[in-house]
Amino acid sequence: MTVVEENTARPTPLQAAEYKNPYKVMVVDDAVVIRGIISRILEQDPKVEVVATAANGEMAIKNLQQKDIEVIVLDIEMPVMDGLTAIPKLLEIKPDVQIIMASTLTLRNAEISMEALEKGAKDYLPKPSSSSELASAESFRLELIHKVKALGASNRLSHAQELPRRARERGAGAPEVAREDDTTFIRPAVEPSGTAKAVNREG
């Protein structure tokens, strides 16, 4: 008799967080069909949520100002504002946003890909040249989802590691001060009596 063992391994804290709070992505491409295909590819994974799309860099900037976005899939050649021009402007708004260049140009032109990385993009992905090829390209689908989740996870990990450092810096700073009406309560690090000293402020 064959015994099939059920996988009872619990998800890691990061995996659990991914399902509860999917990585928030914006897709930027001037072709509406391409935007739709890339969005559908990403949303096949429950750990990814496309929260915004844009047809050019200018629209992407407006979306980033209004929405919580962690990863941007960005085309290079677009009207109004192209991807290369948009990269520093996007990073100025949100320095920790993760940008993946996805364009047919990245397949043909290494110089443009390197320029995108120099401007602050984190990765690039060659995009099939037609919508039919894009929809059927399994390797593109797998690599796109992998890169989005990897960069999203790396960004969240950096934030998680930053929190203890900030907490230590706050703890090493000035005593906690809380104001209530015209009274300032100063709470020293050590207070033998367990009470706070009150200093009345005038004016």
Side-chain angles (χ1 to χ4, degrees), residues 85-96:
T85 302
I87 290 172
K89 298 178 182 296
L90 293 165
L91 292 172
E92 183 178 353
I93 296 169
K94 189 173 183 180
D96 62 345

Side-chain angles (χ1 to χ4, degrees), residues 18-96:
E18 288 173 334
Y19 284 110
K20 186 177 181 180
N21 185 23
Y23 300 115
K24 296 174 176 60
V25 182
M26 173 166 63
V27 177
V28 186
D29 197 293
D30 61 314
V32 63
V33 174
I34 301 299
R35 289 201 306 273
I37 292 174
I38 292 178
S39 296
R40 287 193 294 273
I41 288 174
L42 290 171
E43 292 194 325
Q44 290 174 0
D45 193 300
K47 299 176 183 178
V48 178
E49 178 185 6
V50 177
V51 297
T53 63
N56 55 63
E58 189 175 279
M59 293 176 62
I61 290 170
K62 292 179 181 178
N63 282 339
L64 189 61
Q65 290 172 330
Q66 299 170 359
K67 299 185 179 182
D68 181 19
I69 296 169
E70 297 173 283
V71 182
I72 300 175
V73 180
L74 183 65
D75 189 18
I76 292 179
E77 286 191 320
M78 295 178 292
V80 184
M81 183 185 292
D82 61 73
L84 289 179
T85 302
I87 290 172
K89 298 178 182 296
L90 293 165
L91 292 172
E92 183 178 353
I93 296 169
K94 189 173 183 180
D96 62 345

Side-chain angles (χ1 to χ4, degrees), residues 4 7 39 51 54 91 94 105 107 117 129 135 187:
V4 179
N7 184 5
S39 296
V51 297
L91 292 172
K94 189 173 183 180
L105 285 177
L107 185 61
L117 294 174
S129 57
R187 299 181 177 88

